[in-house]
Amino acid sequence: MVNGVRYLGRGIGWVARHPSQWVFGLIPALLTLLLFGGLLTWLGFQIGDLVQWMTPFADGWASGARETLRLVSGIAVFGAALFVSLLLFTAVTLIIGEPFYEALAVRVENSVGGAPPEPDEPFWLGLGRGIRDALILGATALAFGVLFFALSFIPVIGQTVVPVVALVVSGYFLTGELTGIAMERREMRRKERFALLKSRRPTVLGFGTATGALFLVPLGAVLFMPGAVAGATLMARDLCQADTSTAPKVA
């Protein structure tokens, strides 16, 4: 897992040495932040009514038990929303910023030996595939979000182990999204990408968990997105080494 964290560090270091590329990569993330920030703020204001609607059976309970249940339920609902948002934030940002991050990934690869040629396909075909993959990811994230929401009601484990597992799971899918730019350029589709990532699970989980943790820091998903894309590009370059001759080992 340490190797995965190192890739993230390399990516952050790369954009730190190229501040103009960092600013360049902030634009799509800022736009997505406005969208998801607005949705989560709305949820925060509505959470009380939502939880009350979800737990009508507790209306006749003693006030202490009722309020405890609804507090735990509110935390679980908001936590599930954060989990889904963490995954969808990256997916939506990559769709909005496809030209930005494609250019950033190419510059990263050119700085360490050269990027493979762009696939010979229409732009809209690649965009449509990205949207389809994002919808599949969204459905998967929602399913996991419901599972973690249910598990969060387990005493102690639901408030300690479950959040950690959720972070690791989200990190795995985050890595799949972020490495998609470089792997798509190598004409690797979603199933092939995740098969490759599965074969290098410790590295992938190290990168994804560290990235997910940074994204949970206020404004972290915006500030660290360019570095995450750069780090994922470097990692994808190495992981694809056996599959393409255009992915030499990063020093």
Side-chain angles (χ1 to χ4, degrees):
M1 293 184 71
V2 174
N3 284 337
V5 178
R6 286 174 179 164
Y7 277 113
L8 178 60
R10 290 179 185 178
I12 293 173
W14 191 92
V15 296
R17 295 190 300 273
H18 303 81
S20 63
Q21 299 304 308
W22 176 70
V23 174
F24 181 72
L26 287 180
I27 298 173
L30 284 171
L31 294 174
T32 311
L33 176 67
L34 293 175
L35 172 62
F36 278 85
L39 291 173
L40 287 173
T41 299
W42 175 84
L43 178 61
F45 280 111
Q46 301 297 322
I47 197 77
D49 292 338
L50 178 60
V51 168
Q52 187 173 353
W53 172 78
M54 292 173 60
T55 58
F57 55 86
D59 289 343
W61 291 11
S63 61
R66 181 177 64 248
E67 294 306 318
T68 299
L69 172 67
R70 287 176 174 169
L71 175 62
V72 173
S73 299
I75 294 173
V77 168
F78 202 80
L82 281 175
F83 171 80
V84 174
S85 297
L86 182 62
L87 293 181
L88 292 186
F89 180 92
T90 304
V92 173
T93 300
L94 292 177
I95 290 174
I96 293 175
E98 198 277 339
F100 292 84
Y101 295 125
E102 175 70 24
L104 175 60
V106 169
R107 287 164 187 160
V108 170
E109 293 218 56
N110 284 338
S111 72
V112 292
E118 186 176 354
D120 185 19
E121 68 174 17
F123 167 78
W124 293 108
L125 183 60
L127 179 62
R129 187 166 56 248
I131 293 174
R132 182 199 62 197
D133 289 349
L135 290 174
I136 293 173
L137 177 71
T140 304
L142 183 59
F144 273 108
V146 171
L147 174 62
F148 292 135
F149 170 73
L151 293 177
S152 67
F153 288 98
I154 301 175
V156 183
I157 293 177
Q159 294 74 51
T160 54
V161 177
V162 172
V164 174
V165 174
L167 177 61
V168 173
V169 171
S170 66
Y172 180 77
F173 286 106
L174 280 174
T175 305
E177 295 175 84
L178 291 167
T179 54
I181 299 172
M183 290 185 178
E184 280 278 344
R185 195 173 186 86
R186 291 166 169 80
E187 300 188 54
M188 294 184 68
R189 303 302 180 238
R190 177 173 48 82
K191 291 183 179 180
E192 296 173 295
R193 297 200 308 266
F194 277 96
L196 178 58
L197 295 178
K198 185 178 180 181
S199 71
R200 298 293 297 273
R201 190 172 291 161
T203 298
V204 169
L205 291 180
F207 178 88
T209 302
T211 302
L214 286 180
F215 279 15
L216 288 175
V217 175
L219 295 180
V222 174
L223 298 176
F224 293 107
M225 178 63 82
V229 171
T233 299
L234 294 172
M235 183 169 67
R237 184 180 175 86
D238 276 358
L239 294 183
C240 293
Q241 179 177 321
D243 299 306
T244 87
S245 61
T246 58
K249 184 75 174 176
V250 177

